[in-house]
Amino acid sequence: MEYSWDFGPVLERFDMLALGLLNTVKIAAVSIVLGVLVGLVLAMMRLSPRRWLSVPALVFIEFYRNTPPIVHFFWFFYALPVMLAVSLDPYAAAVLALSTQSGAFYAEVFRGGIVSIERGQWEGGRALGMTHAALMRRVIVPQAISRMVPPFIERSFELLKTTALASTLAYADLLYQAMMVNAETFRPLEVYTTIALMYLVLLVTASQLARLAEARLTAYQ
Amino acid sequence: MTAHPILDVRGLHKRFGDHHVLKGIDFTVEPGERVAIIGGSGSGKSTFLRCLNFMEVLSEGEIRLDGTRIGLERKGTVTYPEKQLCQVRERLGMVFQQFNLFPHMSVLDNVMEGLVTVKGLPKPEARRIAEAELAKVGLTDKHSAWPGRLSGGQQQRVAIARALSMQPEILLFDEPTSSLDPELVGEVLRVIKQLAEEKRTMLLVTHELGFAYHFATKVIFLADGVFHEVGTPDEVLKTPSKPRTQDFLRRFGEFAF
């Protein structure tokens, strides 16, 4: 079959795609920040010796690990408003879905980093007379952070890619904008090839930045 | 002699689940005493030492430091408030078999850490003390090194400097040379010997029987969770009265005093 490629109509509407890319970056950045906060709270609950704190956190985490991400998007957009009698716009619903699901995964990253620190480090600090809080702040967390970096980056990349699901709620992310451009140009091959390359450039750039950050945080090893 | 011993342990029991490791130990330490604790592996000698600064929580019994009971007893149950344990640990320095230095801090920062974070000293003063302690263990040239770049013997000397920096009243050594290559044991034992000459109060769990003989004022042979034989180095190591001690020393092979 002969197909004559023509990126012309797509590139004419590149401003639409650029806006989509910007929205994708925006929703990812906001969701990473909120996800980290959710993850920190969940990780502290999971690490607590009090079962009434650790068990609910475990249930929350397992719920997210064992359900498809798109269900979370639909739940926050279609179901939550029924429960609360307020409607959420697509952006808010997508941010809630992304930050809670990434929070559940970040929590395991944070907890894993903390529990990976050898018992001897705790004992070394305790023997000096350090309180639990001081030990955490001065000894455990600084070492745990460098171990958390690789899985944290991995998880953030997952989140970045999952933002494409926000298009199902009609949030104007890169994928949604591509669908709009396609509707106007009837050039799916060119449109979706273009945005695939845009996602690729975005993720490769992000991974380069992440590698720099990683090198800095693990300098002592 | 002081009115009361600096450390006074009564009826110490330690269980790990069903495993009864320490079965009722009474023990006192007078200021200036140097106690070597020996015994087979699994005899509970490390556990005993670790109970003294509450790295392990006692199952039963009580410990008095300078006459003050550690822990709060209320209606038959004893609790150990974190604040009190921190104060106790500050007064009992500990050196571990695995050094337990902080790998993300330089050598100097390792030694300064307790002074700054626990004692709240200003950094210049902490630095001055830390430098003096590092000089004492012969590591003046390693201030800015990462612990991971040092030999085991050097790391253990940093750990000793870190413990000394807190000016502890008693030093606890938990098999300080057991994880070292043979050629590095000497440099650590020399530092410990130097501390003995300063008349510091020290407890040493060790397999180095030859060193224990010269180091200690008192030797304890621990077996089956009790103090099987206690006495001077000559009594316990040269003329042990109990068959079990004799057997242990024989199995340990030849060692020169």
Side-chain angles (χ1 to χ4, degrees):
Chain A
M1 196 185 91
E2 279 293 297
Y3 182 81
S4 65
W5 291 78
D6 184 5
F7 280 94
V10 174
L11 294 178
E12 275 168 34
R13 291 165 180 80
F14 194 74
D15 55 334
M16 289 173 72
L17 297 182
L19 177 70
L21 185 69
L22 200 68
N23 283 336
T24 288
V25 171
K26 181 175 109 181
I27 200 168
V30 170
S31 301
I32 286 172
V33 172
L34 293 177
V36 166
L37 296 177
V38 172
L40 284 174
V41 172
L42 286 172
M44 283 193 274
M45 288 169 71
R46 279 281 275 131
L47 288 166
S48 168
R50 297 178 185 87
R51 286 178 61 81
W52 57 272
L53 281 172
S54 64
V55 171
L58 179 67
V59 169
F60 184 95
I61 291 163
E62 287 304 315
F63 173 80
Y64 274 99
R65 279 160 57 117
N66 296 295
T67 45
I70 195 163
V71 174
H72 314 146
F73 282 82
F74 283 12
W75 193 84
F76 278 108
F77 191 60
Y78 298 112
L80 186 67
V82 176
M83 212 162 84
L84 299 181
V86 288
S87 66
L88 287 177
D89 63 25
Y91 172 74
V95 165
L96 277 173
L98 284 167
S99 52
T100 47
Q101 56 188 234
S102 60
F105 285 93
Y106 285 151
E108 289 298 278
V109 171
F110 298 155
R111 190 185 69 90
I114 297 290
V115 301
S116 76
I117 302 300
E118 299 73 20
R119 200 178 66 159
Q121 290 295 303
W122 292 91
E123 293 187 345
R126 254 182 228 139
L128 285 173
M130 292 172 92
T131 60
H132 182 84
L135 192 46
M136 269 288 189
R137 182 170 50 85
R138 300 285 306 166
V139 178
I140 306 301
V141 171
Q143 292 183 66
I145 283 179
S146 64
R147 297 190 193 179
M148 293 170 192
V149 170
F152 176 82
I153 289 171
E154 182 76 13
R155 192 55 226 169
S156 301
F157 276 57
E158 281 307 311
L159 183 149
L160 200 52
K161 287 185 273 185
T162 310
T163 56
L165 292 177
S167 64
T168 60
L169 309 182
Y171 173 69
D173 76 325
L174 183 53
L175 179 57
Y176 183 82
Q177 292 294 88
M179 285 160 20
M180 295 296 106
V181 172
N182 184 43
E184 289 178 19
T185 60
F186 303 108
R187 288 255 161 213
L189 182 54
E190 288 83 349
V191 173
Y192 295 118
T193 305
T194 304
I195 68 153
L197 291 173
M198 289 170 79
Y199 274 118
L200 183 71
V201 170
L202 176 66
L203 282 147
V204 168
T205 311
S207 78
Q208 293 303 319
L209 291 174
R211 207 181 284 176
L212 281 176
E214 192 178 340
R216 284 197 149 208
L217 284 164
T218 56
Y220 70 86
Q221 283 165 340
Chain B
M1 280 290 134
T2 46
H4 50 72
I6 183 162
L7 194 67
D8 188 355
V9 179
R10 291 279 157 248
L12 168 60
H13 285 260
K14 177 64 188 177
R15 295 181 194 85
F16 293 103
D18 291 338
H19 187 36
H20 200 166
V21 182
L22 300 174
K23 301 171 183 168
I25 288 176
D26 297 316
F27 176 58
T28 57
V29 180
E30 307 290 339
E33 264 195 309
R34 294 185 300 279
V35 184
I37 301 157
I38 61 171
S41 52
S43 62
K45 54 193 192 304
S46 279
T47 303
F48 170 66
L49 197 72
R50 290 163 55 80
C51 282
L52 300 180
N53 68 343
F54 293 84
M55 290 291 116
E56 308 287 353
V57 178
L58 325 180
S59 304
E60 263 175 65
E62 59 176 73
I63 299 180
R64 285 171 191 277
L65 182 59
D66 236 348
T68 307
R69 165 93 192 261
I70 301 164
L72 294 175
E73 189 165 350
R74 220 178 279 133
K75 288 175 195 156
T77 51
V78 188
T79 55
Y80 297 99
E82 185 186 35
K83 202 176 151 202
Q84 193 190 26
L85 290 190
C86 288
Q87 286 165 351
V88 167
R89 288 166 181 156
E90 202 183 322
R91 297 170 63 183
L92 305 178
M94 185 170 231
V95 175
F96 299 87
Q97 183 177 348
Q98 299 294 341
F99 332 132
N100 296 345
L101 294 175
F102 307 132
H104 60 304
M105 298 182 190
S106 71
V107 163
L108 188 65
D109 285 337
N110 263 277
V111 183
M112 285 171 64
E113 183 59 29
L115 296 168
V116 175
T117 308
V118 179
K119 288 202 191 286
L121 294 188
K123 283 214 169 168
E125 198 185 338
R127 170 181 283 266
R128 195 177 49 71
I129 296 170
E131 284 173 351
E133 298 299 351
L134 283 169
K136 190 176 214 168
V137 299
L139 290 171
T140 302
D141 54 334
K142 298 289 183 194
H143 285 180
S144 56
W146 296 118
R149 301 265 183 248
L150 302 182
S151 73
Q154 290 171 328
Q155 290 190 53
Q156 193 60 299
R157 286 187 281 148
V158 175
I160 293 172
R162 182 174 70 173
L164 288 174
S165 73
M166 301 298 282
Q167 320 292 337
E169 291 153 58
I170 306 177
L171 275 165
L172 310 175
F173 289 92
D174 185 7
E175 302 197 30
T177 57
S178 294
S179 65
L180 297 177
D181 291 336
E183 77 270 24
L184 301 176
V185 169
E187 62 187 73
V188 171
L189 293 183
R190 266 194 298 281
V191 170
I192 299 174
K193 187 162 165 265
Q194 184 190 329
L195 298 173
E197 283 158 9
E198 295 172 9
K199 305 284 175 226
R200 287 175 187 266
T201 311
M202 299 194 273
L203 274 65
L204 170 72
V205 169
T206 189
H207 290 293
E208 303 277 343
L209 300 184
F211 183 76
Y213 178 79
H214 291 288
F215 159 87
T217 55
K218 186 201 271 181
V219 176
I220 294 168
F221 174 61
L222 214 149
D224 287 336
V226 295
F227 284 3
H228 197 72
E229 186 156 359
V230 181
T232 65
D234 277 318
E235 286 165 354
V236 178
L237 295 170
K238 284 203 162 161
T239 55
S241 59
K242 306 251 177 103
R244 184 83 188 263
T245 319
Q246 292 163 358
D247 197 47
F248 171 76
L249 293 172
R250 200 175 311 119
R251 271 187 296 112
F252 228 89
E254 296 295 312
F255 60 92
F257 291 138

